[in-house]
Amino acid sequence: DKLTACQFEKNGTEYLSEGRIKNIETAVYPTGIGEFLVGRVSVDFALGNTGNVPFFHKSRLAGIMTAYNAANRTASLIPGAVIQHFLTDLEDGTYEGFPRAGFAFGTIKDPQLRNYVGLAEHEQGIYITSVQPGGPADKAGIAVDDVLLAINGFNIDKHAEYPDPDYGALRISHLLATRSFAGDIVEVT
């Protein structure tokens, strides 16, 4: 899809640039506190990098630029879904933050590990490598050596991705941190 970036010249004149979405993925934000949705947009800026540039799709906020690589003409955006999650969380006047599940995992691509955990060739899932004591996963009974097959009805593949209805294959971090809110009940298989 095409997006429109809105910049302003020093005299206040609006300058619009057209860009095209290259991909949507999950990545660690500069704060280093988690993996969230990121949009990558191919765009040429006549004004150069002017900071946190808003991008629009059909007159709606699509995201806010956090970085721009001039060499490959790629803007990195915090997508509207992440911004909306933040704003929705604030509606009651209390910010709970983006939820954490409280577990670490590894992918199950290696045939020896698949055999060890008892997965057939066609079965998917992720291997739980650690659980934060007292965290949500621990309270739910998830333990080291468990294999997580699905979250909220979304099957997890051997790459730790699920089929997101809006963006296609995404890492489970989006499902847990942005599609869910702190305190939500999450069904795991």
Side-chain angles (χ1 to χ4, degrees):
D1 257 344
K2 291 182 182 177
L3 298 182
T4 303
C6 182
Q7 296 177 286
F8 293 92
E9 295 182 25
K10 289 183 181 183
N11 65 7
T13 302
E14 179 182 62
Y15 188 86
L16 302 177
S17 301
E18 285 227 350
R20 183 167 289 282
I21 297 173
K22 292 171 78 169
N23 69 328
I24 304 286
E25 61 188 1
T26 56
V28 176
Y29 278 13
T31 58
I33 58 167
E35 190 176 73
F36 295 96
L37 201 60
V38 174
R40 309 279 187 215
V41 178
S42 177
V43 62
D44 281 320
F45 285 130
L47 301 180
N49 182 356
T50 59
N52 295 338
V53 176
F55 279 73
F56 297 91
H57 179 259
K58 298 179 182 177
S59 301
R60 293 184 56 138
L61 182 67
I64 297 176
M65 183 176 80
T66 59
Y68 183 68
N69 183 325
N72 65 11
R73 303 175 8 254
T74 301
S76 296
L77 311 182
I78 297 175
V82 176
I83 296 166
Q84 186 60 55
H85 183 284
F86 173 79
L87 294 173
T88 300
D89 187 9
L90 277 176
E91 284 178 354
D92 65 358
T94 304
Y95 178 62
E96 301 293 332
F98 289 86
R100 301 282 181 258
F103 65 80
F105 62 88
T107 59
I108 310 177
K109 299 176 197 173
D110 178 65
Q112 295 293 343
L113 180 57
R114 295 179 67 72
N115 186 46
Y116 171 75
V117 299
L119 283 181
E121 183 63 34
H122 68 280
E123 290 180 303
Q124 304 285 318
I126 55 173
Y127 181 71
I128 303 300
T129 58
S130 68
V131 176
Q132 177 187 8
D138 185 36
K139 290 177 182 175
I142 295 173
V144 172
D145 293 332
D146 281 351
V147 174
L148 221 62
L149 303 174
I151 298 173
N152 280 348
F154 291 103
N155 291 329
I156 303 168
D157 71 15
K158 63 184 176 183
H159 305 286
E161 295 179 341
Y162 75 101
D164 188 88
D166 295 323
Y167 305 107
L170 279 181
R171 301 266 299 174
I172 63 168
S173 56
H174 178 66
L175 181 59
L176 293 168
T178 308
R179 285 204 173 268
S180 301
F181 288 87
D184 282 357
I185 303 295
V186 177
E187 181 183 326
V188 296
T189 304

